[in-house]
Amino acid sequence: MSCLANGSALSEVKSADFVVFDKERGLEILGSKPSYKFMFAVSEAVHEAPVYVASQNKLYLSQLAPPAGYLPQLVVDLNQDPPALSEFLSDPPVYAPNGGTFRNGKIIWGASGGNRSVGGGEQRVSLRTLDPETNKTTNLVNNYYGFYFNTIDDLAVHPRTGDIWFTDPHYSWFNSLTDTPPQLPSASYRYNASSGAVMVVDDSIGQPNGIAFNPDGTTVYISDTAAVSGPVDPDAGHPGTPFNATHRRTVYAFDVSSDGTQALNKRPIYLAAGFVPDGLKVAANGYILAGTGRGVDVLDPAGQLLLTIQTNYTVQNFAWTGPELKTLWLMGNGGISKVEWELAGQELK
């Protein structure tokens, strides 16, 4: 493990596992024995939607790997020493999960792909649940008043109301994950599982991506990754996603209304330096984590950068595991790694 603070030589900074920007709080996060370890070499595909199931001590995640069809998913068995990575396929299969969380004994996944021939049947971009005990999946919702969702990139459950908030950018069309051109503008939504109602909470962000709540649910953070974007004209086909540094790569904070239904008072808190802020999580103490290219940035609630975890691959997302939720697993293009430190994650119940 190597850890450096501001003022170090550039060559040392590039090779460090951790770069500390705020000495007092950064070192408090790391603790006395921090470690970074590269665990598994995987394909250069996007690896996303990590969800820790504490009752099994397993970490579920997806791989979006053409041309194999974006199936199967992956699971890391943390009961073994060393942990073991294997493939699994749910029943019915979930096409291209891109965001995920855990609630009431089930994994909630945002399926970002739409295809007419997945597992012998049609599947659209949707919110889906996976029961990790039975391996059975169910569909919750795949449209807004008859219009198919675009991607369902990431999701989070409000800690008090239980509503599922999710982002819906255009990336599935850009990256050939769906055979249906965009039917809706980029937006973020709230899904009420009891009534089945879907309500828009924000449509001001260019490409809404990561989403996460602070521990008491009074603030929601949403990242805008419009710096990675493309045209949505169906006649242009699937254009891919070039990077434009002059477009938005920003984490925004919103106040959540007292009844937990609305996102208010949008303000920018962090402009990512290295790349777009992809995966987004909030620690138990309120610190914000964002996957920003080859690493993860840790911010305080005001958006000040406290430290960066550096990796040799692009990180798409991450999740806390372990009895104290102080082990952070990172995954992305080409790699899966883990960090041991003192920053605990929020318990997902």
Side-chain angles (χ1 to χ4, degrees):
M1 186 279 297
S2 56
C3 173
L4 294 175
N6 285 342
S8 301
L10 181 59
S11 60
E12 293 176 319
V13 171
K14 287 183 176 180
S15 62
D17 297 323
F18 306 101
V19 179
V20 176
F21 294 89
D22 183 297
K23 185 175 181 180
E24 181 178 352
R25 291 184 290 176
L27 294 180
E28 182 181 4
I29 289 168
L30 293 176
S32 61
K33 295 182 179 179
S35 67
Y36 170 86
K37 186 176 181 181
F38 186 88
M39 298 297 295
F40 303 108
V42 291
S43 74
E44 288 296 322
V46 169
H47 290 78
E48 268 278 13
V51 180
Y52 177 55
V53 179
S55 62
Q56 297 182 335
N57 198 27
K58 292 181 178 180
L59 177 66
Y60 291 77
L61 65 144
S62 67
Q63 55 181 348
L64 281 60
Y70 309 93
L71 295 168
Q73 273 75 62
L74 301 175
V75 62
V76 180
D77 188 346
L78 303 174
N79 299 291
Q80 301 188 44
D81 187 14
L85 179 69
S86 62
E87 296 180 342
F88 84 99
L89 196 63
S90 59
D91 178 25
V94 178
Y95 185 49
N98 202 81
T101 191
F102 187 82
R103 180 76 172 181
N104 293 333
K106 294 183 179 180
I107 293 170
I108 306 173
W109 263 340
S112 66
N115 194 288
R116 293 185 175 87
S117 59
V118 177
E122 182 178 15
Q123 186 177 130
R124 293 292 122 196
V125 174
S126 55
L127 286 176
R128 302 179 71 86
T129 64
L130 165 65
D131 187 329
E133 300 301 326
T134 65
N135 205 36
K136 296 292 186 179
T137 64
T138 59
N139 180 64
L140 296 179
V141 65
N142 65 8
N143 70 91
Y144 181 75
Y145 293 99
F147 296 98
Y148 286 136
F149 293 117
N150 304 310
T151 296
I152 302 192
D153 191 283
D154 208 353
L155 56 93
V157 177
H158 189 275
R160 182 166 52 82
T161 68
D163 288 353
I164 303 169
W165 293 43
F166 62 93
T167 57
D168 190 44
H170 291 135
Y171 289 121
S172 289
W173 177 251
F174 298 154
N175 297 322
S176 303
L177 279 171
T178 179
D179 54 17
T180 303
Q183 300 179 353
L184 291 165
S186 293
S188 300
Y189 297 89
R190 177 173 62 87
Y191 171 73
N192 184 294
S194 299
S195 66
V198 180
M199 290 141 284
V200 64
V201 292
D202 178 74
D203 65 352
S204 68
I205 290 177
Q207 296 294 341
N209 197 316
I211 184 170
F213 290 101
N214 70 338
D216 64 7
T218 57
T219 303
V220 64
Y221 302 98
I222 303 176
S223 64
D224 189 345
T225 54
V228 174
S229 192
V232 298
D233 182 356
D235 292 335
H238 303 279
T241 49
F243 176 65
N244 184 338
T246 66
H247 284 189
R248 288 187 298 278
R249 41 195 166 103
T250 307
V251 178
Y252 292 93
F254 298 78
D255 295 330
V256 178
S257 59
S258 59
D259 62 0
T261 64
Q262 294 180 294
L264 310 168
N265 304 322
K266 175 188 175 186
R267 65 268 186 194
I269 63 166
Y270 184 59
L271 176 63
F275 194 52
V276 294
D278 193 340
L280 207 61
K281 297 285 194 302
V282 178
N285 71 349
Y287 287 170
I288 306 154
L289 277 65
T292 52
R294 293 193 169 240
V296 174
D297 289 343
V298 182
L299 321 168
D300 72 7
Q304 181 179 336
L305 178 60
L306 305 180
L307 70 85
T308 294
I309 305 167
Q310 297 196 131
T311 64
N312 62 350
Y313 62 92
T314 297
V315 176
Q316 270 102 34
N317 219 319
F318 38 87
W320 278 280
T321 69
E324 297 182 293
L325 297 177
K326 290 184 178 180
T327 302
L328 186 74
W329 284 78
L330 293 64
M331 61 280 308
N333 301 116
I336 298 175
S337 54
K338 72 171 181 174
V339 168
E340 302 284 359
W341 58 1
E342 288 301 312
L343 186 62
Q346 296 185 56
E347 183 180 4
L348 303 177
K349 299 178 181 180

